[in-house]
Amino acid sequence: MSDDDTTTPSVTAPSRDVKAVDVFVEAHGETVAVVQGVSMDQVRITLVGEDGALGDVLVRDAAVATAVVAASRATEGEWSRETAAAVTLDRGYRTRMASGGGGRR
């Protein structure tokens, strides 16, 4: 192999993460998946369902996130005006987020 050859190692999408995205798609219809960094060691796949539902899956890096979206039934997208407008948050969701705990105790 010469110095000019560069190869990108393939990344396998963890099946549990692909399944989580596909379960969301089954429950909420056509889904846009937005990949966004959270920290140095986590990337969030934010899911926006056809019905306006919001969900997410956390993975270790952008390559894994891209592989998960590619292997799932979701469509990769970005935060656009249309994507943001599609999100419908119910009162309960807003209350949980306002409590600071996200509903987790």
Side-chain angles (χ1 to χ4, degrees), residues 92-104:
Y93 183 89
R94 290 184 176 145
T95 301
R96 287 189 308 276
M97 293 301 106
S99 71
R104 297 180 189 156

Side-chain angles (χ1 to χ4, degrees), residues 22-46:
D22 286 344
V23 165
F24 184 92
V25 173
E26 288 174 26
H28 302 288
E30 188 174 330
T31 297
V32 173
V34 180
V35 174
Q36 54 195 14
V38 174
S39 68
M40 300 234 351
D41 62 347
Q42 280 191 322
V43 172
R44 172 175 282 125
I45 304 168
T46 302

Side-chain angles (χ1 to χ4, degrees), residues 33-74:
V34 180
V35 174
Q36 54 195 14
V38 174
S39 68
M40 300 234 351
D41 62 347
Q42 280 191 322
V43 172
R44 172 175 282 125
I45 304 168
T46 302
L47 307 169
V48 180
E50 184 176 23
D51 63 357
L54 187 63
D56 68 355
V57 175
L58 293 173
V59 297
R60 72 171 187 257
D61 60 38
V64 171
T66 300
V68 168
V69 174
S72 75
R73 294 176 30 214

Side-chain angles (χ1 to χ4, degrees), residues 4-5 7 19 29-30 33 38 40 50 55 67-68 78 81 88:
D4 294 339
D5 291 337
T7 58
K19 182 177 181 178
E30 188 174 330
V38 174
M40 300 234 351
E50 184 176 23
V68 168
E78 58 186 40
R81 180 175 292 189
T88 56

